Amino acid sequence: MGRTKEELLARLEELKIDFKRHDHPVVLTVEEQAKHVGNFGGALTKNLLLKDKKHRLYIVSALADTKVDMKILSQRLGLGKGGVRMAPEENLRQVLQVPLGCVTPFALFNESASAVSLLLDQGFKSKQSCYFHPLTNDVTIALSSSNLDKFLLSIGKQPAYVDLEASPVVGKDNPPDLADLVPSGAFCSSEESVENPTPKDAPQVNVPKEKTCLPVKAKPKVQNKGAESSESKVLTNNGPNVEIFASDVLEVIFPLFLSEASKKLNIKQEELTQILKLDDFKRRAAPDLESVTNMFKNMAYTAGFHAGFDTMLKSGLGGMPSRK
């Protein structure tokens, strides 16, 4: 169980951190929160939980009107254009141990979230106070960036303020400016079994499982040389793993869909994710995609069998004397 709102507020008081508390009904969006605290003078914030391909997690905490481009942010972290995406709800429950709508820097108060990287909007420093949920979304507290820093330092987290709207060139002569903020290790999580369900009769893959939590810099020992890649999971000794292939396709398609839909509907991506319940949608779409993939896989096997048989006839039996 994660720590409670009361424990967090008690810690703030123990640290003699000045804050103002505003109780209100449960809210899930910044717009809903603004209806209850928007007239009290503090700055509204938005908080995103992101995940990279190695299942490392990041909290991006920004002013509500700060534009966060995840492709640019991913490049600045040294992860490529599509290196980060919205983390699934399972990570909120298992790592941050907070419910939906409660992602804030205060979630790092839970020991299970100690390895989560935190990126803070440098715009916080220009505000007298900023609003955050204290582990539950039926309360909002207002405090200054200096007092937020005091809390973060008390739990061993060095505050890192970033210009989230900057778009520096990243290349050979310009290394990623935020690479130091990439977490040093992977997370233990049952998420892999949720996102990529594997049937009992699925072929065994001779590579380490995602949930073994290998250090990022360590190279897993596999039969083939080179680091573990998505290809090594999809292509196994027994042929393509349809479930993992389908999951990988959905992981590529849905961020693109989310980006385009949010632009056309003028809705923030994190809010659209909550409205559409994309994680549930992906789980419903996966079986259909797996079925179609299996069909093409079987067609390919059949075509390969016939091609191999024809080749055998031509090379092996073609030179044999014919019967009279």
Side-chain angles (χ1 to χ4, degrees), residues 85-316:
R85 59 184 175 86
M86 298 295 293
E89 190 177 341
E90 284 80 6
N91 288 139
L92 271 72
R93 297 195 301 266
Q94 298 172 2
V95 181
L96 300 189
Q97 298 193 53
V98 296
L100 191 66
C102 297
V103 176
T104 74
F106 290 118
L108 301 182
F109 189 40
N110 288 315
E111 293 181 5
S112 56
S114 61
V116 177
S117 182
L118 175 64
L119 285 72
L120 298 167
D121 190 343
Q122 68 175 17
F124 288 168
K125 292 186 175 183
S126 65
K127 304 297 181 180
Q128 185 173 355
S129 64
C130 297
Y131 290 138
F132 301 99
H133 290 312
L135 304 180
T136 62
N137 50 0
D138 58 352
V139 175
T140 294
I141 61 174
L143 76 170
S144 66
S145 61
S146 59
N147 278 321
L148 176 61
D149 293 349
K150 189 174 182 180
F151 165 76
L152 292 173
L153 291 170
S154 77
I155 60 172
K157 183 68 69 173
Q158 183 67 37
Y161 288 89
V162 177
D163 181 358
L164 294 170
E165 293 187 334
S167 183
V169 175
V170 176
K172 183 178 180 181
D173 299 325
N174 299 285
D177 62 318
L178 302 181
D180 291 342
L181 298 180
V182 175
S184 60
F187 287 88
C188 290
S189 172
S190 62
E191 175 194 345
E192 182 67 16
S193 62
V194 175
E195 290 192 337
N196 301 323
T198 304
K200 293 181 180 179
D201 58 349
Q204 296 297 315
V205 185
N206 194 21
V207 295
K209 297 180 181 179
E210 292 285 352
K211 58 188 293 183
T212 54
C213 304
L214 295 171
V216 174
K217 295 183 180 179
K219 293 184 178 180
K221 297 180 180 180
V222 294
Q223 287 184 343
N224 297 325
K225 294 181 180 180
E228 181 184 17
S229 66
S230 59
E231 290 182 2
S232 67
K233 300 176 194 174
V234 175
L235 298 177
T236 71
N237 293 332
N238 296 316
N241 188 312
V242 171
E243 291 78 17
I244 294 179
F245 171 79
S247 176
D248 287 347
V249 171
L250 291 174
E251 292 300 330
V252 171
I253 291 175
F254 273 89
L256 295 175
F257 163 77
L258 193 62
S259 176
E260 291 300 317
S262 65
K263 290 178 183 178
K264 292 184 178 181
L265 298 175
N266 196 25
I267 300 177
K268 296 176 182 178
Q269 289 191 23
E270 61 271 20
E271 296 172 13
L272 191 60
T273 300
Q274 296 170 358
I275 294 172
L276 297 179
K277 298 181 179 179
L278 288 185
D279 288 327
D280 292 337
F281 190 81
K282 280 191 286 188
R283 281 193 281 272
R284 294 197 301 270
D288 290 336
L289 181 56
E290 291 169 11
S291 177
V292 173
T293 304
N294 253 322
M295 180 183 69
F296 283 110
K297 172 184 172 183
N298 293 335
M299 290 171 61
Y301 281 170
T302 302
F305 172 79
H306 287 303
F309 187 71
D310 290 342
T311 301
M312 181 186 70
L313 289 176
K314 291 177 182 178
S315 62

Side-chain angles (χ1 to χ4, degrees), residues 74-87:
S74 180
Q75 287 182 304
R76 294 177 67 188
L77 289 166
L79 304 173
K81 288 186 178 180
V84 294
R85 59 184 175 86
M86 298 295 293

